[in-house]
Amino acid sequence: MSQWTSAVGSPQLARLLGSQHARAAGAPGGRRVPAYRSLADGVRLLILEGRVPVAARLPAERELAAALAVSRTTVAAAYEALRGEGFLESRRGAGSWTSVPAGKPLPTRGLDPLPPETAASVIDLGCAALPAPEPWLTRAFQGALEELPPYAHTHGDFPAGLPVLREAIADRYTARGIPTMPEQIMVTTGAMGAVAAICRLIAGHGERVAVESPSYANVLQLMREAGARLVPVAMADSLAGWDIPAWRQVLRDAAPRMAYVVADFHNPTGALAPEEQRRRLVEAARSAGTVLVADETMSELCLDPGVERPRPVCAFDPAGSAVITVGSVSKSFWAGLRIGWVRAAPDVIRSLVAARAYADLGTPVLEQLAVTWLLTTDGWDESADLRRAQARENRDSLVAAVRRHLPDWEFTVPHGGLTLWTRTGGLSGSRIAEAGERLGVRVPSGPRFGVDGAFEGFVRLPFTVAGPVAEEAAVRLAAAARLVATGATAEAEAPRSYVA
């Protein structure tokens, strides 16, 4: 009986390896490594980043050699090296399949935070999330506890969300100039819960879904796991938002059932789509019969004064037939609350609520009451001011540190959001991420945010550290970049501790 549970074809593996090897070969000052070693390192990185699953059958040596235009001896030597390192297992008649060495955690394609106990030695730039803005978190839960007793006498299941929270969220949209009824709101367990519910309803297995390229890594993986066929659409250069002609062509030619976009301080680039682009994209989606899912989780995080804020994407769909909006408190307040929502036409909300009986049934009551307290008092606006000030300080510290220690890295500083999308001077972002882990700084590589190995020459840096920690993060990243550029190894290096 074979030990593999999925398979990776030779054309797919060749595509995933292609951009990675091109970047590595073009690295300035790099030394040449044997072809088999380069191939083995490339496959190992794909496994470690989760882009090739564990227990996936790899192509036969002859097939992969033909796809890569290398000798079979090169592939055989690479496979043997991977077996020796614990990243490949083989058995006669069953082929070869990926694995991880004993004691090494299974890789994930998502962006998960490190445990807090690692904070003394590892600077975690993998997750774009900030600590809670106190004292507002404590005050919100104190207010929630005061309102809890009547709900404690009920069964506690509210599939659409607490009526008071649905009304509070609807009122905020109305105050922004988008008339909204509570019946147009469903409260979810975070924005990811909202996107997952929408995907289950609209984009079934095998359906095409258009996505920005790059896009948010966790949503891309969620859609892959749901069986969606992702159709990437490139973002415009220099934070200019969307390439509308490209979107029109994809919506016309691919006819995706759904499209997922982040118009407000896009993750990972930080781009803010102008109002006219929003209007034109909604028009194109409506004409193509595509449901446009607009993620607003970063919308409160405008960090610079004087930036003109466009109207929400749903403002250009007054009938509610083309746009579904996703919101959350995770980025603008605290990820630990896990409260998100969907704004859509009432019939869509009813369908989402009905389907919830087969998912998570509802969202925790106490957390909903805490968010209700924030939205119906001055707590939300005052805590948002604190969050923006902290993110602005972190952004400025990180940008200055990267410019000092990594002058070859290229980026455009965004006016909002929580992320800096950085071109890594011709080096492989995957290799920098791997070397960085060994040097005590964790950073996600560009391919996590793309489709089929795109963005190998990028990393994403979140605005989660400032001061000496940001400086040390840049120092460690610079050391990682030097190791990649010279083809050296970080195994002998030990990360220094730092004061947070």
Side-chain angles (χ1 to χ4, degrees):
M1 181 176 177
S2 65
Q3 301 297 310
W4 51 272
T5 57
S6 62
V8 179
S10 52
Q12 179 188 5
L13 187 55
R15 284 197 305 272
L16 291 170
L17 290 165
S19 61
Q20 184 187 85
H21 288 166
R23 288 278 175 185
R31 60 179 177 83
R32 292 188 61 83
V33 298
Y36 86 90
R37 183 69 262 173
S38 178
L39 175 56
D41 287 347
V43 173
R44 177 171 52 83
L45 284 174
L46 292 174
I47 297 169
L48 288 173
E49 290 201 330
R51 289 188 281 147
V52 168
V54 174
R57 187 181 186 276
L58 294 188
E61 294 171 3
R62 190 185 305 277
E63 294 175 14
L64 186 57
L68 295 175
V70 299
S71 71
R72 183 177 176 182
T73 302
T74 296
V75 177
Y79 279 15
E80 183 60 33
L82 289 167
R83 278 189 287 269
E85 296 164 2
F87 288 96
L88 196 68
E89 296 181 23
S90 303
R91 192 171 65 226
R92 185 179 298 277
S96 299
W97 58 92
T98 58
S99 61
V100 293
K104 194 173 186 67
L106 288 175
T108 172
R109 296 176 76 172
L111 305 177
D112 52 328
L114 289 175
E117 58 265 24
T118 65
S121 59
V122 179
I123 302 173
D124 186 7
L125 298 182
C127 197
L130 293 166
E134 288 287 27
W136 297 108
L137 178 65
T138 299
R139 292 181 184 177
F141 272 98
Q142 288 170 342
L145 286 170
E146 293 176 1
E147 299 296 327
L148 182 61
Y151 296 95
H153 293 292
T154 73
H155 50 64
D157 286 334
F158 296 87
L162 296 184
V164 291
L165 179 53
R166 297 175 74 192
E167 183 176 359
I169 294 170
D171 288 347
R172 287 193 69 85
Y173 278 104
T174 300
R176 294 166 66 188
I178 316 296
T180 303
M181 304 179 295
E183 292 78 9
Q184 292 177 262
I185 302 295
M186 181 179 83
V187 180
T188 62
T189 307
M192 291 294 290
V195 176
I198 295 166
C199 286
R200 285 193 298 268
L201 180 67
I202 296 174
H205 188 87
E207 293 279 6
R208 292 187 180 93
V209 177
V211 294
E212 298 151 326
S213 184
S215 186
Y216 179 40
N218 285 349
V219 166
L220 292 180
Q221 184 59 15
L222 182 156
M223 292 177 178
R224 291 188 187 100
E225 295 291 338
R229 298 162 61 189
L230 301 183
V231 183
V233 187
M235 295 288 290
D237 292 334
S238 302
L239 305 188
W242 299 317
D243 183 339
I244 295 299
W247 270 101
R248 287 188 183 278
Q249 181 174 349
V250 165
L251 294 177
R252 182 182 64 247
D253 296 346
R257 182 74 181 88
M258 187 178 100
Y260 170 81
V261 296
V262 185
D264 299 280
F265 308 118
H266 174 260
N267 185 356
T269 68
L272 178 65
E275 190 160 297
E276 184 57 25
Q277 288 186 8
R278 299 174 187 226
R279 183 194 309 277
R280 292 166 62 195
L281 184 57
V282 171
E283 291 172 353
R286 186 184 297 112
S287 297
T290 299
V291 176
L292 189 63
V293 178
D295 188 332
E296 290 189 335
T297 52
M298 296 281 191
S299 64
E300 299 271 354
L301 292 170
C302 183
L303 306 184
D304 294 326
V307 175
E308 184 177 350
R309 295 290 310 283
R311 286 178 290 170
V313 175
C314 59
F316 304 99
D317 180 41
S321 61
V323 177
I324 297 177
T325 302
V326 169
S328 169
V329 305
S330 296
K331 303 300 183 184
S332 51
F333 189 77
W334 187 48
L337 273 180
R338 306 310 309 147
I339 298 293
W341 57 84
V342 177
R343 180 199 180 275
D347 61 318
V348 174
I349 294 297
R350 286 192 294 271
S351 297
L352 289 169
V353 172
R356 200 167 191 182
Y358 309 102
D360 62 355
L361 292 178
T363 304
V365 170
L366 188 62
E367 283 81 350
Q368 291 188 70
L369 290 172
V371 175
T372 302
W373 184 91
L374 287 167
L375 293 177
T376 55
T377 67
D378 293 334
W380 182 266
D381 291 333
E382 295 197 27
S383 61
D385 287 341
L386 287 176
R387 171 65 80 233
R388 284 188 285 266
Q390 183 182 14
R392 185 183 307 113
E393 178 187 359
N394 291 356
R395 179 197 63 182
D396 296 346
S397 291
L398 185 65
V399 165
V402 171
R403 283 175 171 163
R404 273 192 296 273
H405 298 286
L406 292 152
D408 291 338
W409 286 20
E410 302 172 20
F411 52 83
T412 302
V413 181
H415 292 298
L418 286 174
T419 57
L420 189 70
W421 186 238
T422 307
R423 191 185 297 272
T424 53
L427 299 175
S428 162
S430 299
R431 295 175 189 274
I432 289 173
E434 184 192 33
E437 289 250 6
R438 299 179 184 179
L439 293 173
V441 59
R442 182 172 180 257
V443 60
S445 65
R448 289 181 179 269
F449 304 88
V451 177
D452 279 345
F455 307 110
E456 183 61 53
F458 290 81
V459 295
R460 190 196 72 171
L461 305 178
F463 308 146
T464 54
V465 294
V469 183
E471 193 75 15
E472 180 63 20
V475 168
R476 296 183 187 187
L477 283 173
R482 287 194 297 272
L483 290 171
V484 173
T486 59
T489 175
E491 291 178 355
E493 302 279 352
R496 295 175 291 171
S497 61
Y498 65 94
V499 179

